[in-house]
Amino acid sequence: MRSPSEIETCHITFIPDNIIAEAAVGDNLLKVAVDHGIHIDATCGGAGVCGKCRVEVQGDYRLSEADYLHEDEQEAGVLACRCEVLGDCTVTVPEATRVTGTLPSRSEGSTRRVRLTGLDADARVHECGVSPLLTKQCVTVEPPAADVGSTDRFRLAAALEKQGVPLRGSLIDIELMRRMPTVLREQDGQVTATLSAQRDDAICGGLPLLVNLETGDTSEKLYAVAFDIGTTSVWAQWLDLKAGTVLAEAADYNDQIRFGADVINRILACKKEGGLSRVRQAVVDTMNRLLEQMAEQCGLPLTSLAYAVAAGNTTMSHILLEVDPRHIQLAPHVPVTRFFPPVKAATLGLSLDSQAPLFSIPNVSAWVGGDIVAGALVAGFTDDDPMTLYIDLGTNGEIVVGNKEFLMSASCSAGPAFEGGGIKHGVRAMKGAIEDFHLNGPDAEPMVLTIGQARANGICGSGLINTVAALFLAGVLQPNGKYIAPDGIRRLRETEDGLEYVLVEAANSAGGQDITLTEVDVENLLRAKAAVFAGITTLMSEVGMDPSMFDQVLIAGSFGQSLDVERAITIGLLPDLPLDRFRFIGNGSLAGARLTAQCMDGFRWSEALAHRITYIDLGVNPRFMDDYVAGMFLPHTAGHLFPAVTELLRRQKDG
Amino acid sequence: MRSPSEIETCHITFIPDNIIAEAAVGDNLLKVAVDHGIHIDATCGGAGVCGKCRVEVQGDYRLSEADYLHEDEQEAGVLACRCEVLGDCTVTVPEATRVTGTLPSRSEGSTRRVRLTGLDADARVHECGVSPLLTKQCVTVEPPAADVGSTDRFRLAAALEKQGVPLRGSLIDIELMRRMPTVLREQDGQVTATLSAQRDDAICGGLPLLVNLETGDTSEKLYAVAFDIGTTSVWAQWLDLKAGTVLAEAADYNDQIRFGADVINRILACKKEGGLSRVRQAVVDTMNRLLEQMAEQCGLPLTSLAYAVAAGNTTMSHILLEVDPRHIQLAPHVPVTRFFPPVKAATLGLSLDSQAPLFSIPNVSAWVGGDIVAGALVAGFTDDDPMTLYIDLGTNGEIVVGNKEFLMSASCSAGPAFEGGGIKHGVRAMKGAIEDFHLNGPDAEPMVLTIGQARANGICGSGLINTVAALFLAGVLQPNGKYIAPDGIRRLRETEDGLEYVLVEAANSAGGQDITLTEVDVENLLRAKAAVFAGITTLMSEVGMDPSMFDQVLIAGSFGQSLDVERAITIGLLPDLPLDRFRFIGNGSLAGARLTAQCMDGFRWSEALAHRITYIDLGVNPRFMDDYVAGMFLPHTAGHLFPAVTELLRRQKDG
């Protein structure tokens, strides 16, 4: 992971618009152009197939291979979609490549896409300080003597007591008793004890004071691992708790995906004979893979990890600890517990030392889990003044609203649309997925951009939002989510199920077939965004407030990262607020897990937060259903909730 | 097990002595006679072989088969050794059967053998009251509701809180979390929680408040098992903790015997690759066998046992918990620990419920273990005034001296003589072992009695003491442990290694060979008794006292049960005190384990005792070596330490 300060930047000057764009070294030129409102023809998603994005470039750049080859390639410039900028460049966009007209934007006069500031998790973690959940103390025990009471345990306790750690009277885990005779004799009595920071505290409750025992002096090394156990992906960071830094990071899809994409299917898989054990093993396998990758990156043994902290949604937490999640699925959705005890990670099958504990960040309810608690914690609004909306978008759009005065949460069953599910050509956010979309002028010709600039293979969640917003603003989609009459719009066509818009034609797609957006797809997106927005309005109404009162909106999750906030507001997913009130949190769950691993107070706060955050069950809330139905329009039935979007539409109509 | 009050007694009148003996129904007639000083010829050990113990019996009795058949059997009466009394009887001992002369005895004029009163463990346990280490509470949890925080854990905590058990905030074992969703839904929410009695107490320290969880109401049933883990035998009692009674008892040889008879050999076996695990499994197998036997006796499932308490010597405790005992064997003899945490019994392989804990009674030192602590506890002298000697005889003669003011302990390496080890014809105390011995008149013809009235196969520890005492009092053995000149004593004969006395001739023995007692055997016994007595004098000298100051002597262990205290004094093993100061404790370790299992205070006392009892290492004590050498005589070099024995010898000499 590179921190923002480590990224080298360069300047790209676009001619003839004379727009100077700041870009990162290695950025794709087409993306830089799109992000800065420079419209360049591109109908293949940036896959180097259609050959339409030809520009002239002077400066430091590198070209990757293109499928599209033109005889007079050298003379005619380069394909922007194949060009990676390596330093300052000047780019001349020829007349043939430029498109006329600009997308409507609230940013008066400017076409530049708004980049939101992200949360600096590093800074937040350092702000909280480094005070690990477990500490180490190196001592040298006296050699055995024939004195009364001169047991190994006594010698260790005496040595620790000299260092101000009163072990006497504490029960010692039988496993450590078993280790003692060897460990105490290997390096002339020099041993390092891992101690729980606060014996009777909620954090380490249930943990004995003495957690581990190693030969020699390892007290200068203290490592832990932080996990974000997502339904789709698992992220991990190897933390150096002495330096307060991240030594390695790894991520991979959760192996549980083979049991189903969402938590409901995972729970169903757990209900089968031996299912819980199998589903659990899958995530453990994933975690072990990440552990090994990180160990290799760090050049450190897995046994050097003193403990692990895991944040996950309630179902993931249950499954990881092999606690039956079935009653989460069934009404009234009762988890076994919200708070988990520290568990020896090795008993779960994790490749840590047999004594190293795994701490779980507590959950709020069946549908608001430790991942949200962790994210809210690291976002830092829960003890501050600004009225905040914290939102993590996915199959379940989990939201937390409030500030230091109150905190409420809900989970909006958004359905899988944000993850490309239930959409005719929906795909996950992977290479080839359409993630950006623009319309070129009055004939509604599209410009699509795919992840990794590959031939398009479908549309992902953020692409869906961007596409619907663009089609809506261009007047191709009506407020009710239906297309206008297709007259004169080549890309719109009739099917048995209604109209559909051709995003990418067969010739340019990866699969050799048209990639389209149907009216059913749009309806599914409307359901999803209506559920989330209704969740927001319902929570705010509980305290007599409305969404205009948010001082800030924090967007978490990897989906959030790729979200075009302006367009998300346009479709009515996010509240219509000035863009400077929005911030990306990134993987709040992972950052929160890191924070709690590194900072005892952090863990304590997570416990307090799980208690403080009130859960509102939208499924039984009458207000929610009303708001949901009202949200099934673009941007919303109640136009006054989206004043800027309404004004934009009015201006556009007038203009 | 029958309590003393359940034993039916009857009266046996011996003619012509006119001695009325009280006997138990079922007692062997020869043993009744011997115990009451009636001397009857018996040279085959009571095996029904020699035919010498013929008597006439009138009354209620039963005969078992005899090998010895005589033509005129009916007229000539019955063999006393084959006769079991069933009610009051009159026994006429014919002239031919009676022996002349009586054994010298301190009991002026009486030849009756002194029966010591035993400890009534039942009474002692009831005196302490029944307050189990774990308790049960039946509650009915509310059905799950869609309320905030309505987790299984919350529902259980709320139900318990209603009953005054504040579970909130307590960490709950992950295994119980895993059980919760099923258990809470099986019987309409009715569950029984097993709770640790005192959360922060030394006893249950490390145990969470909630120890177990069962479906339905089992609160009226609370069982535990008490174990005495002996090096040789394992004893167990199934306790009904509601009634305060013993429902079943079982005992068996410790399967570890195959790794060696004593703790040193067990430790050596543990030091081999994988040895600890194998040796541990052996005792676990033994314990599981006893558990199954008792479960069958009770008609109760093993899962109904709430917990186990085990008392054993320090090595046995280490091995059972799979803690390496090797440093116990090597100087300076450092155990890993004296205090063990409660451990889930199932993790040790015991057939208890997976949550049921095993509590270990703490040890004092490498050589004074939890068995001695348990015995001292149940003997009850540790908080009382009388100056007490508590002694458990075996390979190690463990002794505790003191009262409520001070407590000191030591382990005297007696060697294996008390268990028949190192003795030419030594055997364990099993059927056929010579356990009693008398001399008939001036020609020193023997009368031997074996365990189970079988043909003799050797001599056991108590038999050895009895035999040496008798030979010494008869003047056949000299104070230095050497035989007198064999002139005129048919049973004494010369060998290459010195003189030996023929206890049983080949014709009457089980193996068809002479069973003898050699001078080397006698020396080995002298070493053993000298070590024990020197231990006693050394401990007393530490507080400026001597053995005459004991108000009581408590003899524990199965060996103690068969010990003839008068003769043990005669050889200088036990202090020369009035016989009414001696009491048998029986299996103090088992009784102590039962007491601690049944009574929380009992367990607390055992912890306190392990702290209070000072351990004196005789191996490095100069006084001990002096006293040991002085003890290598019969009864002792310092005759003033054995005034009554000295007086007896003087009287005998004069007479």
Side-chain angles (χ1 to χ4, degrees):
Chain A
M1 267 225 323
R2 294 190 299 174
S3 73
S5 61
E6 291 173 83
I7 296 173
E8 277 184 75
T9 58
C10 56
H11 293 91
I12 314 298
T13 308
F14 288 97
I15 305 291
D17 287 331
N18 216 24
I19 289 173
I20 300 172
E22 193 176 274
V25 167
D27 271 359
N28 177 279
L29 182 58
L30 186 60
K31 291 203 74 166
V32 174
V34 168
D35 282 356
H36 290 80
I38 314 292
H39 285 265
I40 300 175
D41 261 10
T43 59
C44 69
V49 176
C50 68
K52 292 197 176 172
C53 61
R54 189 167 305 276
V55 293
E56 285 169 34
V57 186
Q58 284 174 306
D60 193 5
Y61 66 95
R62 178 166 58 201
L63 293 178
S64 59
E65 243 178 62
D67 286 348
Y68 178 86
L69 294 169
H70 199 274
E71 285 173 9
D72 52 356
E73 197 172 341
Q74 295 310 313
E75 293 93 326
V78 300
L79 295 183
C81 70
R82 297 288 96 187
C83 178
E84 197 176 285
V85 297
L86 299 176
D88 293 346
C89 293
T90 300
V91 179
T92 306
V93 184
E95 194 67 33
T97 300
R98 292 167 67 195
V99 295
T100 54
T102 56
L103 266 185
S105 166
R106 71 175 60 200
S107 327
E108 296 288 339
S110 162
T111 58
R112 191 172 169 202
R113 182 157 167 191
V114 178
R115 278 180 186 264
L116 299 190
T117 53
L119 174 94
D120 188 346
D122 244 41
R124 170 77 177 137
V125 166
H126 284 119
E127 188 185 303
C128 292
V130 178
S131 58
L133 303 186
L134 304 181
T135 57
K136 281 186 171 184
Q137 178 77 52
C138 175
V139 293
T140 301
V141 300
E142 295 290 326
D147 290 350
V148 172
S150 180
T151 61
D152 287 350
R153 183 194 190 288
F154 178 86
R155 295 189 296 134
L156 177 66
L160 280 167
E161 191 143 347
K162 266 194 196 166
Q163 303 292 329
V165 183
L167 198 59
R168 254 179 250 198
S170 302
L171 263 300
I172 292 182
D173 188 281
I174 190 68
E175 286 288 351
L176 290 182
M177 295 270 194
R178 289 170 184 157
R179 249 181 226 203
M180 240 182 247
T182 311
V183 170
L184 262 56
R185 285 169 182 83
E186 270 176 354
Q187 291 195 14
D188 294 329
Q190 192 187 51
V191 298
T192 300
T194 303
L195 303 157
S196 70
Q198 303 249 346
R199 192 188 178 191
D200 295 318
D201 196 82
I203 302 167
C204 294
L207 274 189
L209 182 54
L210 184 68
V211 175
N212 213 338
L213 206 53
E214 294 169 288
T215 293
D217 184 0
T218 69
S219 62
E220 286 311 304
K221 293 168 190 161
L222 188 59
Y223 307 113
V225 56
F227 282 110
D228 159 44
I229 315 289
T231 310
T232 304
S233 307
V234 180
W235 287 77
Q237 287 183 336
W238 186 299
L239 309 175
D240 181 333
L241 299 171
K242 289 285 177 183
T245 55
V246 177
L247 292 188
E249 184 175 85
D252 203 345
Y253 285 115
N254 187 335
D255 283 6
Q256 288 181 348
I257 288 173
R258 69 170 182 267
F259 298 105
D262 55 31
V263 295
I264 297 299
N265 278 295
R266 305 284 167 84
I267 294 173
L268 293 176
C270 288
K271 288 166 85 168
K272 293 179 183 160
E273 178 76 25
L276 176 55
S277 174
R278 278 195 301 275
V279 178
R280 196 185 65 77
Q281 191 58 50
V283 74
V284 167
D285 290 346
T286 309
M287 293 165 82
N288 282 339
R289 216 158 51 229
L290 301 184
L291 284 169
E292 272 158 37
Q293 284 169 21
M294 292 191 299
E296 198 167 313
Q297 286 174 48
C298 303
L300 291 167
L302 287 173
T303 49
S304 67
L305 288 165
Y307 57 93
V309 171
N313 65 47
T314 308
T315 300
M316 289 298 114
S317 301
H318 274 61
I319 294 176
L320 176 60
L321 297 185
E322 204 158 4
V323 177
D324 190 348
R326 72 179 62 203
H327 301 288
I328 292 174
Q329 180 224 339
L330 303 166
H333 311 294
V334 178
V336 172
T337 185
R338 302 194 295 141
F339 299 87
F340 290 97
V343 172
K344 287 181 186 175
T347 64
L348 303 174
L350 292 171
S351 310
L352 272 67
D353 179 88
S354 64
Q355 293 303 293
L358 172 121
F359 299 89
S360 300
I361 297 188
N363 305 302
V364 171
S365 73
W367 303 116
V368 174
D371 50 348
I372 303 303
V373 170
L377 179 75
V378 84
F381 65 94
T382 57
D383 291 286
D384 211 345
D385 288 312
M387 183 56 53
T388 302
L389 166 63
Y390 178 95
I391 183 164
D392 191 330
L393 287 173
T395 305
N396 286 313
E398 289 118 333
I399 53 182
V400 180
V401 303
N403 60 4
K404 68 182 183 188
E405 303 293 341
F406 74 95
L407 291 166
M408 284 192 304
S409 67
S411 173
C412 324
S413 294
F418 293 139
E419 287 165 341
I423 304 299
K424 190 173 179 188
H425 291 99
V427 290
R428 279 213 303 261
M430 57 188 187
K431 192 171 178 182
I434 296 169
E435 63 166 351
D436 211 347
F437 178 89
H438 298 270
L439 277 179
N440 296 348
D443 55 349
E445 276 299 300
M447 185 207 121
V448 298
L449 204 62
T450 60
I451 295 175
Q453 284 79 54
R455 276 174 185 253
N457 52 22
I459 186 163
C460 68
S462 55
L464 189 64
I465 291 168
N466 290 340
T467 304
V468 168
L471 290 169
F472 171 56
L473 286 182
V476 177
L477 261 178
Q478 302 178 81
N480 64 1
K482 300 295 176 193
Y483 288 110
I484 57 170
D487 316 326
I489 302 179
R490 194 177 65 85
R491 296 272 180 148
L492 264 186
R493 68 188 185 198
E494 301 242 23
T495 72
E496 281 179 11
D497 301 322
L499 294 169
E500 66 179 17
Y501 182 95
V502 181
L503 297 167
V504 177
E505 290 170 321
N508 289 326
S509 79
Q513 57 175 17
D514 290 347
I515 294 173
T516 66
L517 184 73
T518 69
E519 285 180 340
V520 174
D521 294 342
V522 175
E523 190 179 333
N524 279 332
L525 179 65
L526 293 196
R527 284 187 205 286
K529 72 99 186 171
V532 172
F533 194 75
I536 296 168
T537 53
T538 303
L539 287 199
M540 286 303 266
S541 76
E542 290 278 326
V543 284
M545 297 175 84
D546 70 64
S548 70
M549 289 157 156
F550 287 120
D551 297 313
Q552 60 178 348
V553 178
L554 306 176
I555 303 166
S558 53
F559 176 69
Q561 208 85 36
S562 59
L563 192 70
D564 183 327
V565 169
E566 204 173 342
R567 294 181 176 189
I569 295 170
T570 301
I571 68 161
L573 167 62
L574 294 176
D576 191 350
L577 298 166
L579 292 181
D580 59 7
R581 296 197 192 169
F582 291 81
R583 275 173 91 197
F584 284 130
I585 292 293
N587 189 337
S589 173
L590 181 65
R594 176 186 167 194
L595 178 67
T596 53
Q598 212 155 287
C599 171
M600 203 166 25
D601 281 338
F603 203 97
R604 205 173 283 128
W605 292 332
S606 81
E607 301 252 355
L609 268 190
H611 280 297
R612 278 179 61 204
I613 299 175
T614 306
Y615 175 71
I616 306 292
D617 186 352
L618 298 177
V620 297
N621 190 302
R623 161 93 198 212
F624 174 75
M625 272 316 287
D626 290 347
D627 284 7
Y628 173 71
V629 172
M632 287 290 289
F633 283 79
L634 289 168
H636 201 276
T637 311
H640 69 275
L641 286 172
F642 289 83
V645 177
T646 307
E647 169 64 15
L648 193 66
L649 292 168
R650 192 192 54 74
R651 280 211 320 269
Q652 194 186 0
K653 203 172 176 184
D654 294 351
Chain B
M1 270 225 320
R2 293 190 300 174
S3 74
S5 61
E6 291 173 85
I7 295 173
E8 277 184 76
T9 58
C10 56
H11 294 90
I12 314 297
T13 308
F14 289 96
I15 306 291
D17 288 331
N18 216 23
I19 287 173
I20 300 174
E22 192 175 275
V25 168
D27 271 357
N28 178 279
L29 181 57
L30 185 60
K31 290 204 75 166
V32 174
V34 167
D35 283 354
H36 290 79
I38 314 292
H39 284 263
I40 300 175
D41 260 8
T43 60
C44 70
V49 176
C50 68
K52 293 198 174 168
C53 60
R54 190 167 305 276
V55 293
E56 284 169 35
V57 185
Q58 286 177 304
D60 193 5
Y61 66 94
R62 178 167 58 199
L63 291 179
S64 59
E65 243 178 61
D67 286 347
Y68 178 86
L69 292 170
H70 198 275
E71 283 175 8
D72 53 355
E73 195 172 345
Q74 294 311 311
E75 293 92 325
V78 300
L79 296 182
C81 71
R82 299 288 95 188
C83 177
E84 197 177 286
V85 297
L86 299 176
D88 293 347
C89 293
T90 300
V91 179
T92 306
V93 185
E95 196 65 33
T97 299
R98 291 169 66 197
V99 294
T100 54
T102 56
L103 266 185
S105 167
R106 70 176 61 203
S107 327
E108 298 287 339
S110 164
T111 59
R112 190 173 170 203
R113 180 153 168 195
V114 177
R115 278 182 185 264
L116 298 190
T117 53
L119 174 94
D120 188 346
D122 243 40
R124 171 76 177 136
V125 166
H126 283 120
E127 187 185 304
C128 293
V130 177
S131 59
L133 302 185
L134 304 182
T135 57
K136 280 186 172 185
Q137 177 77 50
C138 175
V139 293
T140 301
V141 300
E142 295 290 326
D147 291 349
V148 172
S150 180
T151 61
D152 287 351
R153 183 193 190 289
F154 178 87
R155 295 190 295 136
L156 177 66
L160 281 167
E161 191 143 347
K162 266 193 197 167
Q163 304 291 330
V165 182
L167 198 58
R168 253 179 252 200
S170 302
L171 262 300
I172 292 181
D173 189 280
I174 190 69
E175 286 288 349
L176 291 181
M177 294 271 193
R178 290 171 184 156
R179 248 180 224 202
M180 239 182 245
T182 311
V183 170
L184 261 57
R185 286 170 181 83
E186 270 175 355
Q187 290 196 15
D188 294 329
Q190 191 187 52
V191 298
T192 301
T194 303
L195 303 158
S196 71
Q198 303 249 345
R199 192 190 177 189
D200 295 317
D201 196 81
I203 303 167
C204 294
L207 273 190
L209 181 55
L210 184 68
V211 176
N212 213 339
L213 206 53
E214 294 169 289
T215 292
D217 184 0
T218 69
S219 62
E220 286 311 305
K221 293 168 189 161
L222 187 60
Y223 307 113
V225 57
F227 283 109
D228 158 44
I229 314 291
T231 310
T232 304
S233 308
V234 180
W235 288 76
Q237 286 182 336
W238 186 300
L239 309 175
D240 182 334
L241 299 171
K242 289 285 175 183
T245 54
V246 178
L247 292 188
E249 184 176 83
D252 203 346
Y253 286 115
N254 187 336
D255 282 5
Q256 288 180 348
I257 288 172
R258 68 170 183 268
F259 300 103
D262 54 31
V263 294
I264 298 299
N265 279 296
R266 306 284 167 86
I267 294 174
L268 293 177
C270 288
K271 287 166 85 168
K272 292 179 183 160
E273 178 75 25
L276 175 55
S277 174
R278 280 195 300 275
V279 178
R280 195 185 67 77
Q281 192 57 50
V283 74
V284 167
D285 289 345
T286 310
M287 293 165 81
N288 281 339
R289 213 158 53 230
L290 301 184
L291 283 169
E292 271 157 37
Q293 284 169 21
M294 292 190 299
E296 197 166 316
Q297 286 175 47
C298 303
L300 290 167
L302 287 172
T303 49
S304 66
L305 288 164
Y307 57 92
V309 172
N313 65 46
T314 308
T315 301
M316 288 297 116
S317 300
H318 275 62
I319 295 176
L320 176 59
L321 297 185
E322 203 157 4
V323 177
D324 190 348
R326 72 179 63 204
H327 301 288
I328 292 174
Q329 179 223 341
L330 303 166
H333 311 294
V334 178
V336 172
T337 186
R338 303 193 295 140
F339 298 88
F340 290 98
V343 171
K344 287 181 186 176
T347 65
L348 303 174
L350 291 170
S351 311
L352 271 68
D353 179 88
S354 64
Q355 293 302 294
L358 171 120
F359 299 89
S360 300
I361 297 187
N363 305 302
V364 171
S365 73
W367 304 117
V368 174
D371 50 347
I372 302 303
V373 171
L377 180 75
V378 84
F381 65 93
T382 57
D383 291 286
D384 211 344
D385 289 312
M387 184 56 53
T388 301
L389 167 63
Y390 177 94
I391 183 162
D392 191 330
L393 288 173
T395 305
N396 286 313
E398 289 117 334
I399 53 181
V400 181
V401 304
N403 61 3
K404 67 180 183 189
E405 304 293 341
F406 75 94
L407 291 166
M408 283 192 304
S409 68
S411 173
C412 323
S413 293
F418 293 139
E419 286 165 341
I423 304 299
K424 190 175 180 186
H425 291 100
V427 291
R428 278 214 303 262
M430 56 188 188
K431 192 170 178 182
I434 296 169
E435 61 166 351
D436 212 347
F437 179 89
H438 297 271
L439 277 179
N440 296 349
D443 55 353
E445 277 296 302
M447 184 208 124
V448 299
L449 205 62
T450 61
I451 295 176
Q453 284 79 52
R455 277 172 183 254
N457 51 22
I459 186 164
C460 66
S462 56
L464 189 64
I465 291 168
N466 291 340
T467 304
V468 169
L471 290 168
F472 171 56
L473 286 183
V476 177
L477 261 178
Q478 304 178 80
N480 65 0
K482 303 293 176 194
Y483 288 111
I484 57 170
D487 317 326
I489 302 180
R490 192 177 66 85
R491 295 274 182 149
L492 263 187
R493 67 188 185 199
E494 300 243 23
T495 71
E496 282 179 8
D497 301 324
L499 293 171
E500 67 180 17
Y501 182 94
V502 180
L503 296 168
V504 177
E505 290 170 320
N508 288 327
S509 78
Q513 57 176 18
D514 290 346
I515 294 174
T516 65
L517 184 72
T518 70
E519 285 180 339
V520 175
D521 294 342
V522 176
E523 190 179 333
N524 279 332
L525 179 65
L526 292 197
R527 284 188 204 284
K529 72 99 185 171
V532 171
F533 194 75
I536 297 168
T537 53
T538 304
L539 287 199
M540 286 303 267
S541 75
E542 291 278 324
V543 284
M545 298 176 82
D546 72 62
S548 71
M549 290 159 156
F550 287 120
D551 297 313
Q552 60 178 348
V553 177
L554 308 176
I555 303 165
S558 52
F559 176 70
Q561 207 84 38
S562 58
L563 192 69
D564 183 326
V565 170
E566 204 173 343
R567 295 182 175 189
I569 296 170
T570 301
I571 68 162
L573 168 62
L574 294 176
D576 191 350
L577 298 167
L579 292 180
D580 59 7
R581 296 196 192 171
F582 290 81
R583 276 174 89 196
F584 284 129
I585 293 293
N587 189 338
S589 173
L590 181 65
R594 175 187 168 195
L595 178 66
T596 53
Q598 212 156 287
C599 172
M600 201 165 28
D601 281 338
F603 203 97
R604 205 173 283 129
W605 293 332
S606 80
E607 300 252 356
L609 267 190
H611 279 297
R612 278 179 60 205
I613 299 175
T614 306
Y615 174 70
I616 305 293
D617 185 353
L618 298 177
V620 297
N621 190 302
R623 160 94 199 212
F624 174 75
M625 271 317 288
D626 291 348
D627 284 8
Y628 172 70
V629 172
M632 287 290 288
F633 284 79
L634 289 169
H636 199 274
T637 312
H640 70 273
L641 287 172
F642 289 84
V645 177
T646 307
E647 168 64 14
L648 193 66
L649 292 168
R650 191 192 55 72
R651 280 213 318 270
Q652 193 184 358
K653 203 172 177 182
D654 295 352

